[in-house]
Amino acid sequence: MKKKFLTWTLILYAVYGIFLALYFFQWSDIGVPAAYEGTAADPKTFMSERELMLSQEYSRYQNFLSFLAEPLEWIIYLGVMIFGVSKAFKEFGSKVSRYTIIRVPLFVLLLLTLTTILTFPFDYARRRLSVEYGISTQSFSSWMRDELIGFWIGYLIMALLITVLYFLMKKFERRWWLIAWFLMIPFLFFMMYLQPVVIDPLYNDFSELQNKQLEEKILTLADDAGVPAERVYEVNMSEKTNSMNAYVNGIGSNLRIVLWDTTLNRLKENEVLFIMAHEIGHYVMNHLYWNLAGVIVSTFFGLLFTYHLMKTAVRKWGRKLGFDRVSDIASLPMFYLLLTLLSFLANPIELAISRNAETDADRYAIEMTEDTEAAIGSFQELTVNGLSDVDPPALVKYLRYGHPTMMERIHMLETYGKDVEKTE
């Protein structure tokens, strides 16, 4: 079984890698569709030849690495079970302590550490590529610091969730998935409330926006839209990246309007206001809560399907893999495997919904600011600074993009501007 797994994994992964290389470097058309040539959405109208070349190169390499890394976690989880590593982790935990409250978090730590080490080369390669193409300005030590913070935050959250989950599996054999789902709802709200004031500051330095005139204009936009914000925050991102961003996140008293300093440094004031109007649009149209509702619904079906699939898988292959019941902590890699596979299958639907929401926010922003030139200019500048591919291959768009392509967004704004002029 081990030899077959290793042989077939190497063969299939090699074939998959060759397919990706051909798709991204040979088969993907990088030309501009005839309908967009000469328009504001045509990158040749706002990017130099070198910028365009770098954008295409960078996007191809990043997409290739991202897709190549996609199935790696699945392979790791399968390998951990087939090679008896999961069973060894469980036995080690049993030697350390007889208490479940210690054994389960220890198992989670061992599995997360192994997965992180095995996937690290891909993470580093993507980071290195970003540095070489001038997107990332972050030092290796700073990047590693962020990686370690992410590791320990992820571990603490996962250790808590998995400890509760496996307690429920043991206590409620048939209804653990439903009880776990009910408990996840308040937890998700709590994390949404906590994110802006506890987790985000661990990665970056936040301060009040220094440009008070701009802050007043942004708060006026927010007030007109009914956003309960009293200040705008600026985050120091220039020491890490040349990319630009802005967002509104959090709920209740922890709601925050945030601008990256790169956005402030590279965009004109009216362009910044358009970007903020877009983010405010997400709040006005309740996209934050719709996203949360989507996570709650997808979690329900994810746990339900995982319950049935895991029960069948444990019955068929459990003993060969070192566990004979679902509630055995050695089954955790199987739980992760099923959940990540289901998440991968649901991802295109979630991304399609997200792209639709982003289009709505773009429309809201252009209607609010009535400045087509600033809207188009902001997206063009975002494209140049992030070396974004304005028209990515279909595989990337439908499996990676939560936003419409930049070509689609700029074309929509340009068309909107012309339609407004006609009606006037």
Side-chain angles (χ1 to χ4, degrees):
M1 189 177 184
K2 295 177 184 178
K3 188 176 180 181
K4 281 186 178 180
F5 170 77
L6 194 59
T7 302
W8 279 106
T9 297
L10 290 173
I11 291 172
L12 292 175
Y13 195 64
V15 171
Y16 175 66
I18 292 170
F19 167 78
L20 290 179
L22 290 171
Y23 181 78
F24 288 119
F25 297 101
Q26 295 294 328
W27 299 337
S28 296
D29 183 11
I30 59 173
V32 177
Y36 295 100
E37 288 182 355
T39 68
D42 185 347
K44 291 179 181 178
T45 64
F46 62 89
M47 297 178 79
S48 67
E49 287 187 16
R50 177 167 174 75
E51 287 171 340
L52 189 56
M53 178 194 71
L54 291 175
S55 166
Q56 292 167 352
E57 285 182 0
Y58 177 67
S59 297
R60 281 175 164 176
Y61 286 122
Q62 279 286 16
N63 290 330
F64 175 71
L65 286 172
S66 295
F67 276 85
L68 196 62
E70 184 71 53
L72 197 58
E73 269 193 71
W74 311 338
I75 295 169
I76 292 170
Y77 296 143
L78 272 173
V80 162
M81 290 184 288
I82 290 172
F83 284 92
V85 179
S86 185
K87 185 179 178 181
F89 284 171
K90 182 185 74 171
E91 291 173 351
F92 176 74
S94 299
K95 291 177 182 177
V96 171
S97 175
R98 63 189 181 90
Y99 296 107
T100 302
I101 200 170
I102 293 181
R103 293 202 309 267
V104 172
L106 179 58
F107 189 99
V108 173
L109 178 60
L110 292 171
L111 183 58
L112 180 61
T113 301
L114 178 63
T115 305
T116 302
I117 291 171
L118 293 177
T119 56
F120 180 81
F122 283 96
D123 295 333
Y124 177 77
R126 287 196 292 267
R127 180 256 169 191
R128 187 63 194 168
L129 188 67
S130 183
V131 170
E132 288 182 359
Y133 278 84
I135 306 300
S136 174
T137 58
Q138 189 175 19
S139 66
F140 178 76
S141 59
S142 174
W143 178 74
M144 279 302 300
R145 175 184 172 275
D146 286 351
E147 291 292 300
L148 288 171
I149 290 173
F151 175 89
W152 287 110
I153 290 175
Y155 166 68
L156 292 173
I157 293 172
M158 196 56 64
L160 173 63
L161 294 177
I162 297 302
T163 300
V164 173
L165 180 69
Y166 272 77
F167 169 78
L168 295 176
M169 286 178 172
K170 196 171 185 179
K171 197 80 173 174
F172 308 98
E173 188 177 338
R174 294 184 178 181
R175 292 288 178 265
W176 62 262
W177 65 273
L178 186 59
I179 300 170
W181 177 72
F182 275 118
L183 292 176
M184 277 296 292
I185 296 173
F187 177 78
L188 290 170
F189 272 98
F190 178 69
M191 290 303 297
M192 192 174 179
Y193 180 78
L194 211 63
Q195 180 85 28
V197 296
V198 175
I199 297 177
D200 289 347
L202 294 175
Y203 293 93
N204 302 298
D205 295 325
F206 289 79
S207 60
E208 291 186 24
L209 184 61
Q210 299 301 306
N211 187 336
K212 294 303 176 183
Q213 287 185 331
L214 177 60
E215 182 180 46
E216 185 178 345
K217 291 179 180 180
I218 292 172
L219 290 177
T220 299
L221 286 177
D223 185 60
D224 291 343
V227 179
E230 298 179 356
R231 59 183 60 89
V232 179
Y233 290 89
E234 178 180 341
V235 57
N236 179 16
M237 289 297 295
S238 55
E239 62 182 20
K240 294 183 178 182
T241 182
N242 284 317
S243 295
M244 298 182 288
N245 197 15
Y247 57 87
V248 177
N249 73 339
I251 55 175
S253 60
N254 281 0
L255 182 138
R256 281 192 170 187
I257 298 176
V258 179
L259 274 165
W260 286 11
D261 64 337
T262 49
T263 305
L264 293 167
N265 296 337
R266 290 179 172 84
L267 294 185
K268 299 173 184 175
E269 184 177 278
N270 58 347
E271 293 173 343
V272 172
L273 291 175
F274 171 79
I275 295 295
M276 291 315 306
H278 169 94
E279 300 303 329
I280 289 169
H282 282 306
Y283 180 89
V284 170
M285 290 180 279
N286 296 311
H287 290 163
L288 295 174
Y289 294 102
W290 280 112
N291 286 344
L292 184 59
V295 172
I296 291 171
V297 171
S298 61
T299 301
F300 174 86
F301 287 105
L303 287 171
L304 172 60
F305 292 146
T306 300
Y307 162 73
H308 287 292
L309 291 170
M310 201 166 175
K311 187 169 64 172
T312 303
V314 169
R315 187 174 64 248
K316 286 186 175 182
W317 303 295
R319 288 191 178 181
K320 291 181 181 179
L321 299 174
F323 46 88
D324 56 6
R325 62 188 188 281
V326 171
S327 59
D328 189 329
I329 189 58
S331 71
L332 182 60
M334 181 177 286
F335 176 80
Y336 280 169
L337 174 63
L338 293 172
L339 210 56
T340 52
L341 284 171
L342 289 171
S343 177
F344 175 77
L345 293 174
N347 197 44
I349 299 172
E350 294 171 359
L351 290 177
I353 295 171
S354 176
R355 289 194 295 271
N356 186 64
E358 293 296 337
T359 299
D360 289 342
D362 284 346
R363 290 198 181 100
Y364 176 90
I366 194 63
E367 289 170 6
M368 189 180 203
T369 61
E370 298 181 337
D371 192 340
T372 306
E373 185 178 339
I376 292 172
S378 65
F379 282 158
Q380 289 177 336
E381 194 65 28
L382 282 166
T383 302
V384 173
N385 278 277
L387 291 182
S388 303
D389 188 350
V390 295
D391 189 29
L395 201 62
V396 177
K397 176 181 176 180
Y398 294 111
L399 294 181
R400 291 285 175 187
Y401 271 41
H403 292 69
T405 67
M406 277 301 188
M407 185 171 284
E408 292 170 338
R409 299 178 83 177
I410 294 172
H411 181 69
M412 186 277 289
L413 294 173
E414 187 177 34
T415 304
Y416 175 91
K418 290 177 180 178
D419 289 343
V420 169
E421 289 176 3
K422 287 179 182 178
T423 57
E424 291 176 350

